[in-house]
């Protein structure tokens, strides 16, 4: 129902008749009125100045109170009271919450207010009560109001009609983009991320210089959101979609670092509550969704965020980090919905191009209205100065006229009649002091008049030329950039990160993998071992048990795949980064804990390769001299339980496996010092279950001790390094090893004696890189290859490493092999 007044009814007396009305119509109209009020007057920012009404009213109230960046701080309660009493008739807490966010440097990329006191923290702490805190405008917020007194914007009545408030601010700064905005209206919401001021200004200048530019052009400058809390954002395609359509989602991760057995978090995604994050970790640990966390410490202070997650000794940091990304706000998506009010009235989705274009259009209006205001004032002043100059030119007659007049009003009339002055000019002459008659004062008037004439000419030229207006806007943008631009805080990674992949979390770095005969494996950084002189005793490489010893050592990249070949001819696979990092002196982790290798089988060879290196072959050699070549692609999908790599003859064991290109040469050595070199073409490619062919014929008591795959061209200038198990080694020119057919007995490559011990490993070297030598008891030495003496084939070599009694060399690696092949 609705009450309708009769015509002529007195105000305040309800005597009208009741008019029937459908309740659905009444609800629709009332709800629509409410919705539009929330949309326009509360929840959505204006695309021109990036302000919601409450933000605009806070700044205008502080500007009116004189609480600018150069003023003293004022109690927040004073500001809240002024805003409520004069412009914003809503709750005081809502206004104070707005002021709080405008102060917080973790909420706004470029805070609009400067505060003193407790203004909250990223950990979720609330700000102190308004009676305890103080605030004032920041320097950059003043750029939003400069020139407001020059009739540059429209004004509206405040809520009770006593005062006027700006409908929009002049906004020299592109505030909507640099500080973003989040708001929930009725049936719609806005979510605009903050950006880097320098990037936004560069994009704005580009659009000024190239009005026909596209959104893609602007993305050359605006790389993506720049959150005040830093973090890392991913995927160029997602970023482009968000800016070109106004809607989208961008994945953001915190910045983490792994140090020993700790995960250290130094930056969080935007709007992450650190306290809630810590509580979530505790819940995940209690629910057994994350295992391996020993303790969590919050070491955040005034210098920045620092969360330390201490891990258990056997934990794999990368896996725990992946779980944190998956289950907590350490990774979250920022959803773009760039909804803003067009012309302060119409809600509209804006693209990046739209927002920057709207800012330029707004500034064109502001600059034009400012110029018109300045021109009006300049003309008014010039008019007065022209009257004063004419009066001074005939000052005696002017004074005489004034003296003959009865009063001020008559003097003004007489001056206008006799000298043709206007009323304004006559008033100015009558206000003129006698000191103005001095020569210097007269000259000042002449100079000022000349200056005003020049200003008028400049302003009129400006108003006639849109090109000059745009040039002025560009100059103002450059000035803002020089004064306020800073470095980007949020890192942008162009590759996508749609699904959780553990490999994405691992830094690509070199690693040394060691495996003991007892099946304990670990991963080490190459710089764990400092270079030593040849012949030293080396460092302890591993705390192996007395009955155990290191049997394998290899060099790989953390992102590589690593194949484990066993004595029974089977192969298993894992990622290098899945092998736990350990200290140099630690025992490592049992390989059976993450690979289903039976205890009856011994790992005899390790081969690493990257996902991009699926071409090529694997060359295998057994203890009894059988060789086989199989395509590496045949091992792309190795089951957890392993697959067959080679079928072995009775009593034989698979010992060595190396990668090849298919056009290389193969060198086999034996423990008794024999070597054979033949072309890889002599071995035809076979399937996984094939048995292979004879590579070298062995004498009684002899067995294969090494397999080396060499590039034919590189071998011409290369040297062949052989190492014996009692610590001796030597380099020999590869030219001394003639190529022969597969299946021969080979030639002598080292003189084997009781002093040198048996030949246990060999390398082809083309560069004087570092050499790692490892003993069965865990001693390891790192030395340069140039320190190893060159000698002929049939010699004993020199001592590389001094060994304790009952200890012996079991393996070695060079950091660089030919063609980048790493062993």
């Amino acid at each position: 129902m609705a009450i309708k007044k009769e015509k002529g009814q007195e105000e305040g007396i309800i005597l009208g008749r009741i008019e029937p009305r459908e309740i659905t119509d009444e609800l629709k109209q009332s709800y629509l009125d409410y919705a539009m009020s929330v949309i326009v007057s509360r929840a959505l920012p204006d695309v021109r100045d990036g302000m919601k009404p409450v933000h605009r009213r806070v700044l205008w109230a502080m500007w009116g109170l004189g609480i600018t960046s150069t003023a003293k701080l004022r109690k927040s309660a004073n500001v809240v009271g002024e805003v409520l009493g004069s412009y914003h008739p809503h709750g005081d807490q809502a206004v104070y919450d707005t002021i709080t966010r405008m102060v917080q440097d973790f909420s706004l990329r470029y805070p609009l207010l400067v505060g003193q006191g407790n203004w909250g923290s990223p950990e979720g702490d609330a700000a102190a009560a308004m009676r305890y805190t103080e605030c004032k405008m920041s320097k950059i917020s003043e750029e939003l109001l400069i020139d407001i007194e020059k009739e540059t914007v429209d004004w509206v009545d405040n809520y009770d009609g006593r005062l006027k408030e700006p409908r929009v601010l002049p906004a020299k700064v592109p505030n909507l983009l640099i500080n973003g905005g989040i708001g929930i209206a009725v049936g719609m919401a806005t979510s605009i991320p903050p950006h880097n001021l320098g990037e936004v200004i560069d994009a704005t200048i580009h659009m000024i210089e190239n009005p026909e530019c596209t959104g893609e052009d602007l993305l050359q400058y605006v790389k993506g959101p720049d959150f005040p809390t830093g973090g890392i954002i991913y995927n160029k395609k997602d970023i482009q979609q968000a800016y070109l359509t106004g809607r989208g989602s961008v994945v953001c991760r915190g910045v983490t670092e792994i140090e020993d057995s700790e995960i250290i978090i130094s930056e969080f995604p935007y709007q992450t509550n650190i306290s809630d994050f810590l509580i979530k970790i505790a819940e995940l640990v209690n629910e057994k969704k994350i295992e391996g966390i020993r303790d969590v410490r919050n070491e955040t202070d005034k210098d920045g965020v620092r969360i330390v997650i201490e891990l258990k000794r056997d934990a794999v940091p990368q896996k725990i980090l992946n779980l944190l990304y998956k289950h907590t706000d350490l990774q979250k998506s920022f959803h773009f919905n760039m909804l803003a009010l067009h012309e302060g009235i119409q809600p509209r989705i804006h693209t990046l191009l739209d927002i920057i274009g709207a800012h330029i259009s707004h500034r064109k209006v502001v600059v034009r209205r400012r110029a018109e205001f300045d021109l009006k004032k300049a003309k008014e002043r010039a008019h007065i100065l022209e009257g004063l100059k004419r009066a001074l030119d005939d000052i005696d007659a002017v004074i005489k006229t004034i003296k003959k007049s009865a009063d001020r009003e008559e003097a003004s009339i007489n001056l206008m009649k006799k000298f043709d002055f206007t009323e304004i000019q006559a008033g100015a002459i009558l206000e003129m002091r006698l000191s103005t008659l001095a020569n210097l004062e007269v000259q000042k008037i002449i100079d000022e008049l000349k200056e005003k004439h020049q200003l008028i000419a400049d302003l009129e030229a400006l108003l006639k030329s849109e090109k000059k207006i745009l040039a002025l806007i560009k100059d103002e943008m450059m000035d803002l950039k020089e004064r306020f631009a800073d470095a980007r805080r949020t890192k942008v990674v162009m590759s996508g990160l749609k699904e959780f992949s553990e490999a994405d979390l691992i830094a690509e770095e070199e690693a040394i993998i060691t495996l003991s005969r007892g099946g304990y494996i670990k991963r080490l950084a190459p710089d764990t071992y400092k270079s030593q002189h040849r012949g030293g005793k080396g460092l302890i490489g591993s705390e192996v048990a007395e009955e155990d010893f290191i049997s394998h050592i290899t060099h790989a990249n953390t992102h590589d795949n690593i194949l484990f070949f066993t004595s029974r001819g089977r192969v298993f696979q894992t990622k290098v980064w899945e092998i736990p990092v350990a200290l140099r002196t630690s025992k490592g982790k049992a390989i059976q804990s993450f690979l289903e290798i039976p205890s009856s089988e011994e790992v005899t060879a390790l081969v690493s390769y990257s996902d991009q290196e699926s071409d090529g072959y694997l060359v295998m050699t057994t203890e009894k001299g059988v060789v086989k070549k199989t395509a590496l692609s045949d091992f792309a999908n190795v089951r957890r339980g392993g697959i067959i790599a080679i079928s072995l003859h009775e009593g034989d064991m698979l010992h060595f496996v190396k990668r090849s290109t298919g056009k290389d040469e193969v060198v086999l050595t034996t423990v008794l010092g024999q070597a054979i070199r033949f072309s890889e073409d002599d071995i035809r490619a076979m399937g996984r279950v094939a048995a292979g062919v004879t590579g070298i014929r062995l004498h009684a008591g002899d067995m294969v001790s090494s397999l080396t795959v060499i590039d034919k061209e590189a071998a011409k200038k290369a040297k062949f390094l052989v190492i014996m198990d009692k610590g001796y080694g030597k380099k020999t020119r590869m030219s001394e090893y003639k190529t022969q057919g597969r299946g021969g007995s080979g030639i002598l490559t080292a003189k084997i004696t009781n002093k040198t011990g048996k030949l246990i490993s060999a390398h082809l070297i083309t560069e004087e890189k570092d050499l790692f030598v490892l003993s069965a008891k865990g001693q390891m030495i790192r030395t340069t290859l140039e320190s190893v003496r060159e000698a002929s084939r049939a010699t004993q070599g020199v001592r590389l490493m001094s060994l304790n009694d009952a200890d012996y060399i079991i393996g070695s690696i060079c950091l660089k092999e030919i063609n980048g092949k790493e062993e």
Side-chain angles (χ1 to χ4, degrees):
M1 295 292 203
I3 296 176
K4 184 177 180 180
K5 290 184 180 181
E6 296 291 348
K7 187 176 180 180
Q9 181 179 319
E10 294 184 63
E11 287 296 329
I13 303 176
I14 303 176
L15 294 175
R17 62 185 176 84
I18 297 177
E19 183 179 283
R21 187 175 181 184
E22 285 291 338
I23 191 170
T24 54
D25 294 338
E26 180 66 24
L27 288 174
K28 285 179 181 178
Q29 186 60 47
S30 298
Y31 188 76
L32 183 60
D33 292 343
Y34 165 74
M36 289 306 298
S37 174
V38 172
I39 290 168
V40 175
S41 302
R42 296 177 72 175
L44 300 184
D46 192 301
V47 71
R48 296 170 292 180
D49 63 1
M51 291 277 169
K52 298 179 186 178
V54 64
H55 298 109
R56 194 178 297 118
R57 288 163 177 168
V58 167
L59 291 184
W60 175 238
M62 295 181 75
W63 183 270
L65 292 172
I67 315 175
T68 58
S69 63
T70 56
K72 292 182 178 179
L73 291 155
R74 192 80 63 88
K75 281 288 185 183
S76 301
N78 188 355
V79 178
V80 171
E82 176 66 16
V83 174
L84 290 179
S86 299
Y87 305 108
H88 198 70
H90 298 281
D92 60 337
Q93 192 58 48
V95 175
Y96 185 54
D97 288 345
T98 297
I99 292 173
T100 298
R101 190 170 185 275
M102 294 169 77
V103 170
Q104 292 171 338
D105 58 4
F106 53 87
S107 292
L108 295 189
R109 181 64 176 82
Y110 299 90
L112 299 177
L113 301 181
V114 176
Q116 182 169 289
N118 174 18
W119 288 96
S121 73
E123 300 172 69
D125 300 322
M130 67 181 78
R131 62 183 179 274
Y132 297 119
T133 60
E134 297 177 326
C135 63
K136 64 178 180 179
M137 295 176 67
S138 65
K139 289 183 179 180
I140 198 168
S141 68
E142 292 179 355
E143 302 296 330
L144 293 168
L145 289 110
I146 284 177
D147 299 327
I148 196 170
E149 72 284 352
K150 293 186 177 182
E151 300 176 1
T152 52
V153 295
D154 294 332
W155 297 79
V156 294
D157 291 335
N158 71 334
Y159 66 91
D160 61 1
R162 294 183 301 111
L163 303 168
K164 293 286 186 180
E165 62 176 300
R167 190 185 296 275
V168 67
L169 299 183
K172 187 184 295 185
V173 178
N175 184 60
L176 184 62
L177 282 175
I178 67 169
N179 278 323
I182 295 174
I184 300 174
V186 178
M188 59 185 68
T190 184
S191 181
I192 303 172
H195 295 81
N196 183 271
L197 176 64
E199 293 181 2
V200 173
I201 287 178
D202 287 342
T204 304
I205 291 173
H206 179 79
M207 192 170 183
I208 290 173
E209 296 174 342
N210 305 275
E212 302 301 322
C213 69
T214 64
E216 288 86 349
D217 297 333
L218 298 183
L219 289 176
Q220 299 175 24
Y221 305 95
V222 180
K223 305 300 182 183
D226 189 22
F227 300 115
T229 52
I232 306 171
I233 56 176
Y234 293 85
N235 202 342
K236 180 180 180 180
K237 290 183 179 179
D238 288 348
I239 295 171
Q240 286 181 336
Q241 179 186 356
Y243 286 124
L244 298 180
T245 66
R247 286 193 174 100
S249 180
V250 175
V251 176
C252 181
R253 280 182 172 177
V255 174
T256 62
E257 183 179 358
I258 296 176
E259 293 183 1
D260 298 327
S261 60
E262 294 179 338
I263 296 174
I264 299 172
I265 305 170
S266 55
E267 294 177 12
F268 278 91
Y270 186 47
Q271 294 179 323
T272 294
N273 186 307
I274 296 177
S275 294
D276 291 346
F277 170 78
L278 298 176
I279 292 171
K280 183 64 175 179
I281 290 180
E283 292 175 354
L284 292 170
V285 171
N286 291 335
E287 295 170 2
K288 305 295 184 183
K289 290 184 178 179
I290 296 182
E291 296 182 352
I293 294 179
R294 175 178 294 168
D295 189 23
V296 180
R297 301 192 306 273
N298 187 351
E299 298 180 358
T300 302
D301 56 21
K302 63 180 181 179
D303 296 323
V305 172
R306 181 180 168 88
I307 304 297
V308 180
I309 301 174
E310 187 177 340
L311 307 179
K312 295 178 181 178
R313 182 174 298 179
D314 59 345
V316 181
Q318 289 81 1
K319 288 187 176 180
I320 293 177
L321 187 57
N322 183 47
L323 292 170
L324 290 175
Y325 284 133
K326 185 175 182 180
H327 295 295
T328 73
D329 279 348
L330 192 57
Q331 173 176 315
K332 62 194 300 187
S333 296
F334 186 94
H335 299 281
F336 282 68
N337 189 38
M338 297 202 290
L339 182 72
L341 296 176
H342 178 69
E343 296 296 332
I345 299 174
Q346 182 184 4
R348 181 186 296 178
I349 293 291
H350 291 78
T351 64
L352 177 65
L353 189 72
D354 295 334
I355 295 175
I356 293 179
H359 178 73
I360 294 173
S361 298
H362 177 55
R363 287 303 299 168
K364 284 164 63 176
V365 171
V366 169
V367 170
R368 180 173 294 279
R369 292 179 66 165
R370 180 183 67 191
E372 290 171 348
F373 178 86
D374 289 340
L375 179 60
K376 176 184 174 183
K377 294 296 183 182
K379 286 182 175 180
E380 289 174 354
R381 180 60 180 166
H383 179 66
I384 292 173
L385 291 171
E386 287 168 351
L388 293 176
K389 182 178 181 300
R390 285 172 53 204
L392 291 171
D393 289 341
D394 197 6
I395 189 63
D396 293 334
V398 169
I399 293 174
K400 186 177 180 181
T401 301
I402 295 172
K403 287 175 69 177
K404 289 182 178 180
S405 301
D407 53 25
R408 179 188 176 92
E409 183 178 350
E410 184 180 335
S412 176
I413 294 171
N414 291 336
L415 287 173
M416 288 188 285
K417 286 182 178 180
K418 186 172 182 179
F419 300 99
D420 199 25
F421 290 127
T422 65
E423 184 177 353
I424 294 174
Q425 289 174 326
I429 293 169
L430 291 173
E431 294 289 337
M432 184 173 58
R433 296 182 179 182
L434 289 175
S435 59
T436 308
L437 300 177
N439 287 335
L440 289 177
E441 296 301 319
V442 172
Q443 188 60 44
K444 283 182 181 179
I445 291 174
I446 295 172
D447 292 342
E448 185 182 356
L449 179 59
K450 183 178 179 181
E451 178 185 331
K452 292 302 178 185
H453 283 155
Q454 182 62 50
L455 177 59
I456 290 169
D458 292 342
L459 290 172
E460 287 177 340
L462 177 67
L463 290 169
K464 292 177 182 178
S465 172
E466 182 168 317
K467 186 176 181 180
K468 288 186 178 182
I469 291 176
L470 289 172
L472 181 57
I473 295 172
K474 177 183 173 181
D475 291 342
E476 290 176 349
M477 291 286 102
M478 293 297 294
D479 177 63
L480 287 173
K481 181 179 178 181
E482 184 177 345
R483 288 189 289 135
F484 298 111
D486 55 4
R488 167 174 278 278
R489 297 181 188 176
T490 300
K491 182 181 177 182
V492 179
V493 177
M494 292 305 178
S495 60
L497 194 62
K498 285 297 184 184
E499 297 180 2
F500 288 96
S501 171
E502 291 176 301
D504 290 333
L505 306 173
I506 312 303
E508 288 198 51
E509 55 189 12
E510 293 181 338
I512 291 177
I513 311 299
T514 65
L515 176 66
S516 76
R517 177 64 61 85
Y520 289 93
I521 192 170
K522 65 179 179 179
R523 173 160 56 96
L524 302 161
D527 57 5
T528 302
Y529 305 98
K530 295 180 180 178
S531 183
Q532 294 176 256
H533 294 296
R534 176 181 59 80
K537 296 192 69 172
L539 299 170
I540 296 175
S542 179
E543 286 289 348
V544 294
E546 234 178 86
E547 67 278 4
D548 195 12
F549 58 87
I550 300 297
S551 58
H552 295 282
I553 180 171
T554 190
H555 174 246
N557 186 286
T558 49
H559 278 215
D560 288 350
N561 303 291
I562 186 164
L563 297 170
F564 296 81
F565 293 86
T566 72
S567 56
R568 296 279 183 91
R570 291 206 296 163
V571 60
F572 300 79
Q573 180 173 285
T574 187
K575 290 284 189 180
V576 171
W577 53 261
E578 290 186 309
I579 299 171
V581 177
L583 297 175
R584 176 172 53 84
T585 56
S586 66
K587 186 177 182 179
K589 190 173 183 179
I591 195 170
Q592 284 81 10
S593 63
F594 55 93
L595 288 176
E596 296 179 359
I597 300 177
S599 57
S600 60
E601 297 185 37
E602 178 188 348
V603 175
T604 55
L606 308 180
V607 174
S608 64
Y609 69 97
S610 69
D611 291 331
Q612 291 75 36
E613 297 174 327
S614 58
D615 296 335
Y617 297 87
L618 290 180
V619 177
M620 310 173 200
T621 305
T622 70
E623 181 183 88
K624 294 186 176 181
V626 174
V627 294
K628 176 188 170 185
K629 182 171 72 175
T630 302
L632 179 59
S633 58
D634 287 357
F635 300 90
N637 298 305
V638 179
R639 296 188 298 271
R640 183 172 176 82
I643 59 175
I644 295 175
I646 184 174
S647 295
L648 297 170
H649 298 294
E650 187 175 353
D652 203 357
M653 291 191 300
L654 177 61
H655 265 209
F656 304 100
V657 183
K658 294 291 175 68
R659 288 171 48 203
S660 74
T661 65
K663 298 179 180 180
D664 295 324
E665 292 183 337
V666 177
V667 179
L668 303 179
T669 64
T670 72
V671 295
L672 296 183
Q674 292 296 112
I676 186 171
R677 175 183 178 184
F678 57 87
S679 174
E680 189 183 344
D681 292 334
D682 291 351
I683 315 171
R684 64 179 178 83
M686 308 176 191
R688 288 189 298 102
V689 297
V693 294
T694 301
I696 185 171
R697 298 191 183 277
L698 303 172
H699 299 295
D702 203 359
M703 56 186 282
V704 174
S705 62
S706 78
L707 163 66
T708 304
V709 176
I710 62 176
D711 178 89
K712 293 179 181 179
E713 290 300 318
K716 294 178 181 179
K717 298 181 180 180
K719 298 172 184 176
F720 196 58
L721 170 70
V722 293
I723 298 172
M724 279 68 81
D725 66 3
K726 290 190 177 180
Y728 282 79
K730 66 184 178 72
K731 295 184 298 190
T732 304
R733 291 188 179 277
M734 200 65 212
S735 58
E736 295 191 30
Y737 297 84
K738 301 301 181 183
T739 303
Q740 59 186 95
R742 172 185 60 79
S745 298
I747 58 176
L748 190 66
T749 186
K751 185 177 180 181
I752 302 301
T753 65
N754 290 334
K755 176 183 175 183
T756 64
K758 296 179 179 180
L759 192 155
I760 51 89
S761 67
H763 303 275
L764 187 80
I765 55 176
T766 57
E767 296 183 40
E768 300 296 332
K769 295 294 183 179
D770 283 1
L771 171 70
F772 289 80
V773 182
L774 187 68
S775 78
K777 294 301 181 182
Q779 293 293 121
M780 180 180 279
I781 188 171
R782 177 178 182 175
T783 188
T784 57
L785 286 170
E786 61 184 5
S787 66
V788 181
R789 192 173 66 194
E790 185 177 324
S792 61
R793 286 190 295 105
T795 56
Q796 297 183 81
V798 296
R799 184 178 294 278
L800 301 180
M801 184 177 185
S802 297
L803 299 169
N804 297 323
D805 293 339
D807 198 5
Y808 56 92
I809 302 297
I810 53 88
S812 62
I813 62 169
C814 294
L815 280 184
K816 182 91 172 174
E817 295 281 351
I818 59 170
N819 290 344
K821 295 189 181 72
E822 290 146 355
E823 180 182 14

